[in-house]
Each structure stands twice: as structure tokens, then as C-alpha cells.
Amino acid sequence: MKKAHLLKAMDMGINTHHEPVIYMREDCEICRSEGFSANSRLQLEYADSSIIATLNIVDNPVLPKGYAGLSKIALQRLAIQAGDTIDIKQAPVVSSLAAVRKKIFGNRLSLDDFTGIITDISNHRYSDIEIASFLSVCAGSRLNLEEIIGLTLAMVNSGKRLSWPEHKQVFDKHCVGGLPGNRTTPIVVSIVSAGGLTIPKTSSRAITSPAGTADTLETITHVNLSLADMQRVVSQTGACLAWGGAVSLSPTDDLLIRIERALELDGEGQLIASVLSKKIAAGSTHVVIDVPVGETAKVRSHTDAQRLIDLFTQVGEACGLTVRCVLTDGSQPVGQGIGPVLEAQDLLAVLQNKPDAPTDLRDRALLLCAHLFDLAEQCGQQKGLEKATTILDSGAAWEQFQRIAEAQGGLKTPGKARYRHTERASRNGMLNAIDNRQLARLAKLAGAPSSAEAGLFLHTKVGEMVTTDSPVFTLHSQSKGELDYALAYYHQASIFSIKDTQ
């Protein structure tokens, strides 16, 4: 029987995000006897809990003899208190990493390969570097159709699944992203559920954008719902607006998203598997997917869009899900606000039928509703559009949104940014183009989505005339430093193109 290597736990007070870290002295006898070195992967055991952590070596004065330091997440996952004794071992071999290496050398992965990888990631056996390797080797167009299907099914099977036996059809919608301000989901959910469709909507937080739907909704209602809460809210209202990460539907996806966000990576196969695995796990039978196409959107050409649409449709069909993709204009941002609070103000304005509500956000939401009603009732898009418009104009959608929010814990009042700065046009002319990617980066540098109040408000749309007195956008930030940093970026970037009309 292998000798136990016991040390007392010490809280290092260090937040290492989601990757557990253990800190040991450079003269630690366990390190010497076992050959542990910095960056070794170790298995830590306490009572019935076990985790894998990355080793960091520290100078001797940092830790008393007989102690091992643990990061916050390591303490949390072990459910341990400072002073409790842990057993330290060499981490077991993670066999699924062989499949990752197989993919690195250009070989195809099977469903069993993906199941092993996703299971090990879900059980926190991969380091952040190993997760990044998996995501990178699957990025671009490196996964074929069968592999995307395998990845999708593996992700579905890694978590819980909802079923709605009392509902024959369950609907959902999604946008592939890349378009700042495109916050149609709460509007669509309110309209179609007011029209009789069942739509248990789970949404993600931002990956590479200044705001995800969950980030935006969190500023005006409660989105951290349990599965039981989701089922209760849907039973009461026919819909919900929940953060997917709180309900363990395809939970590995949230572990992957964390690394994707750091890499600013959103690969084709991973995107499809991420979207569809959550729809399937949520019990959806029909989904409409918004695919914005534009030179600076995520999908840049109609050729790329058609490939994505074909893959979405085929993967959905293989997994028992009816998918309809809708090509939309991705040439410029949607709405006026970019950032959680500012986007929430836009969607509330649309739902409340305010005169200054952004018409492009309203029209896009109604288009997606038309497709959902057509899927449900085979009524044709025009009839679907008429039904959606009537529901929105009558105030029924706003009443339904309030009903959903109340069932989820009530409405909240969004905060306001401490600092604001308005930039005016650099010259007279027509606003000819807006770079979506650079604009999103500008909003993120101002602090979004970490600071929910941060971001920017657009005063001008493409095709409108401007003068040097015209406000183009207003930056919102919670700190002067972030505001200045964002402005410095803006002045060296080329985000807004103004065309001389003389």
C-alpha cells in the first residue's frame, strides 16, 4: 500500500479562477521523494472528496513546514477548512488526452473519443492548458460533420436533460453572435410565449462580446434559476429566461467557454456543439438560429453562412432537433446600447413600445418570431409576422415579460455608469460603415461586461448624415482609467468610416 503523504491545508487567499492550485515549499520532503516539480499535476484527497490541482513551488518562508497552500477554488472543491489534513498523490493518467493528441496529428475523433474528453473536462481532470489545446485543435473547420455530431452528443450527455411531456413542441432561438447589441432573445421569448408557444430559454454569458444575453438580463431580473425553478416558471408562464450555467445543462460547455473567452476563440464545430447541446438538453424540439452576415461580423460571407447553416441543420437532424437558420444583416450593430445595462434599456424600450425604441432591434425580433410561429403553426412567415406584431403592439409582450420576471424573482432597476464621454464626428459626411469587431472591443475596454453599466451608446447609424457637431457615441465606464484606456484605443482605431458626400 502506497504511503500517505499528509500536509495541513492553508488558505493562500489567492483566486485562481476555476483551476485549482496547490502551493508547496521548495524543501518539501514529499516533493523530493515523489519527484514533484512546478506545474506537476497532483491529486488531493480529503474525506470523500478528490481533486486534481497544479503545483506551484514557493519560497520556504511563505509556508510553515507541514503545510500546503491551496487556492480558493481548490478549498471550495475539496470542501475543506484551513488546518484540515490532505493526502497528496501523483495525479492519475488522464487517458482521454491521447485523443487530443490524436487530433493534433490530424486524425478523426469518434463519439467515444469525445465522450472521454468531455467527461474528463467535466470532472475537472484537465488543466486550463489542456482545455486550450483541445479547443485550438478543434477550431476553424477542423471538425467534420460526424465529429461535430459526436461532440454535440458528448456535451449533451455530460449533464442533466429536461423533458416536457405535457408539451409536444418546445421552441428555442439563438444567435451565432458577432453583432454588438443584438439582444433580441427577451423580446422574442416574450412575444412567442404570449402567443402560446412553450420556450424554456437558457442563455450564455459573454464569450468574446461586450454582453451575453444572461449578462444583460441579470441587470433587470434574476437569471440564476435551478432546474426546479425553470420548470416552475415555465409551468406558470410558458417560458423562462435563465442563465444556462446555473442549471447544469451541457455543463462542460461553460468550462470550455471560460477558456474560449480568454483565447477570444469561437470555433465552428465548438460553436455548433455548444448551441445545439444546450437546446437538446433543455428539451427543445424546434429552434430558430439567427445568422448575421457582414464584413466585420462573426460570419463574413454568404458562402461561410451557407456552410454553417448546412452543418447546423444536419447536426440538428442527427440529434432529433428541427433547426431553421435565418440569414440577417450583420453589417452594423443592432440597437443603440452595447453593454449589459445599455442593451437592457434597448430591449425594455422595444417591449414597452416607446417612441425612441430602436426600430432595427424591434424589426429583427419580429422577424425571428415570425419564423417561430411559422414552425409551430405552418402559417407562413407573413401571417407569423402579423401575429407577432399584434402581440407586441398591444402590450401583451410587455405584460408577458413582466410575468416571467416576477416568476423568476421580480424586476430590478439597472444601475448607471459613473463616467461618460461623448465623441462627435471627425468630419462632415455620411456614416458609411461601422467595424463591429473594433466597436465591441471598444465597449469591452470601457469595462463591459465585467462592469454591467459599462459600454457605449450609439447616436448614429450607417447611412445617416453627420457633422462635426453630431454625437457619434457616448462611452460609459465605472472607472476613469477604463474610460481613458477605451478612448486611447478609439483614437488609434478606425471604427467609424465617414464618406464625403460633396
Side-chain angles (χ1 to χ4, degrees):
M1 186 173 179
K2 192 169 180 65
K3 177 184 174 183
H5 292 303
L6 306 178
L7 291 174
K8 290 184 178 180
M10 177 175 169
D11 183 355
M12 294 295 285
I14 299 175
N15 182 353
T16 55
H17 203 35
H18 286 273
E19 182 163 19
V21 175
I22 179 171
Y23 303 86
M24 299 172 72
R25 292 166 58 107
E26 59 185 353
D27 67 351
C28 178
E29 292 180 1
I30 297 174
C31 289
R32 291 182 174 180
S33 65
E34 294 293 329
F36 298 159
S37 59
N39 220 39
S40 293
R41 299 281 284 164
L42 307 182
Q43 181 166 308
L44 316 183
E45 296 179 352
Y46 171 75
D48 295 327
S49 300
S50 174
I51 65 168
I52 295 177
T54 301
L55 174 62
N56 281 192
I57 303 294
V58 300
D59 291 343
N60 293 338
V62 175
L63 284 171
K65 275 198 169 185
Y67 280 80
L70 296 181
S71 66
K72 293 292 186 184
I73 191 66
L75 287 165
Q76 178 185 322
R77 288 196 185 146
L78 272 178
I80 195 172
Q81 301 293 321
D84 289 339
T85 300
I86 55 175
D87 189 5
I88 302 167
K89 304 175 181 178
Q90 190 77 255
V93 173
V94 180
S95 58
S96 68
L97 284 169
V100 177
R101 287 189 287 273
K102 183 167 79 171
K103 189 62 183 171
I104 288 172
F105 289 102
N107 297 299
R108 294 182 180 180
L109 300 185
S110 65
L111 173 59
D112 286 344
D113 290 330
F114 283 115
T115 298
I117 292 168
I118 295 302
T119 298
D120 283 337
I121 292 175
S122 179
N123 290 326
H124 307 291
R125 297 185 185 120
Y126 274 40
S127 68
D128 285 357
I129 291 174
E130 290 162 346
I131 295 175
S133 297
F134 170 64
L135 290 171
S136 298
V137 79
C138 293
S141 301
R142 295 184 181 92
L143 299 182
N144 64 21
L145 175 61
E146 289 73 22
E147 288 177 306
I148 299 173
I149 293 169
L151 177 58
T152 303
L153 292 173
M155 290 173 68
V156 171
N157 294 333
S158 72
K160 300 174 183 176
R161 292 185 71 165
L162 284 173
S163 62
W164 309 94
E166 68 276 24
H167 300 283
K168 186 176 180 181
Q169 293 183 323
V170 178
F171 295 86
D172 209 330
K173 64 78 59 179
H174 185 82
C175 177
V176 300
L179 200 57
N182 191 18
R183 203 54 57 219
T184 57
T185 289
I187 305 168
V188 170
V189 169
S190 301
I191 293 172
V192 300
S193 61
L197 304 193
T198 300
I199 182 164
K201 186 75 183 80
T202 61
S203 299
S204 300
R205 298 192 184 277
I207 302 176
T208 60
S209 68
T213 298
D215 301 311
T216 298
L217 281 167
E218 194 170 46
T219 69
I220 50 177
T221 191
H222 303 271
V223 297
N224 290 356
L225 306 183
S226 66
L227 283 174
D229 286 335
M230 272 187 67
Q231 290 169 320
R232 174 184 55 80
V233 174
V234 173
S235 176
Q236 291 175 9
T237 69
C240 68
L241 292 161
W243 171 45
V247 291
S248 296
L249 300 177
S250 187
T252 312
D253 188 45
D254 293 291
L255 300 175
L256 300 178
I257 283 173
R258 178 175 58 86
I259 304 299
E260 288 178 307
R261 184 183 295 116
L263 297 174
E264 293 196 350
L265 184 69
D266 201 0
E268 171 189 272
Q270 180 59 40
L271 166 67
I272 294 167
S274 171
V275 172
L276 296 188
S277 66
K278 288 193 170 179
K279 307 309 175 194
I280 296 164
S284 300
T285 60
H286 297 72
V287 60
V288 166
I289 298 179
D290 179 8
V291 184
V293 181
E295 289 184 4
T296 58
K298 182 180 293 183
V299 182
R300 299 190 181 188
S301 70
H302 283 275
T303 300
D304 292 340
Q306 192 56 56
R307 172 180 167 78
L308 198 61
I309 288 170
D310 290 343
L311 287 171
F312 263 121
T313 304
Q314 292 175 79
V315 174
E317 183 179 1
C319 298
L321 183 67
T322 299
V323 177
R324 179 184 291 186
C325 294
V326 182
L327 283 179
T328 57
D329 178 16
S331 62
Q332 64 173 321
V334 179
Q336 295 173 293
I338 299 170
V341 165
L342 296 167
E343 293 178 22
Q345 291 171 352
D346 272 0
L347 71 89
L348 289 174
V350 171
L351 284 169
Q352 294 167 4
N353 290 303
K354 290 185 175 179
D356 60 348
T359 56
D360 57 347
L361 179 61
R362 171 189 161 95
D363 292 344
R364 186 178 293 252
L366 288 171
L367 171 67
L368 297 173
C369 290
H371 281 279
L372 282 165
F373 281 133
D374 181 36
L375 272 179
E377 302 167 7
Q378 292 79 51
C379 59
Q381 291 176 36
Q382 185 57 40
K383 289 290 186 183
L385 181 60
E386 291 170 4
K387 180 174 181 176
T389 304
T390 298
I391 292 170
L392 180 58
D393 289 347
S394 69
W398 170 232
E399 290 177 5
Q400 174 68 348
F401 180 82
Q402 292 177 89
R403 193 177 300 118
I404 295 168
E406 187 61 33
Q408 294 187 183
L411 281 169
K412 299 190 288 187
T413 302
K416 294 182 179 180
R418 293 192 184 97
Y419 299 91
R420 299 184 188 187
H421 173 85
T422 299
E423 277 287 329
R424 302 187 182 276
S426 58
R427 62 193 183 91
N428 300 337
M430 183 185 74
L431 184 58
N432 190 48
I434 300 175
D435 189 308
N436 289 307
R437 293 171 184 265
Q438 291 193 65
L439 192 72
R441 180 166 176 77
L442 179 64
K444 288 192 289 184
L445 290 175
S450 299
S451 297
E453 301 80 4
L456 59 88
F457 182 90
L458 283 171
H459 297 282
T460 308
K461 288 288 188 179
V462 170
E464 295 179 356
M465 301 300 296
V466 296
T467 69
T468 52
D469 292 328
S470 302
V472 176
F473 69 92
T474 297
L475 269 181
H476 293 238
S477 186
Q478 288 293 75
S479 75
K480 185 67 164 56
E482 286 174 313
L483 185 74
D484 292 342
Y485 191 33
L487 283 172
Y489 170 77
Y490 167 70
H491 288 301
Q492 59 89 27
S494 299
I495 301 176
F496 299 92
S497 172
I498 297 175
K499 181 181 179 181
D500 191 350
T501 57
Q502 293 182 349

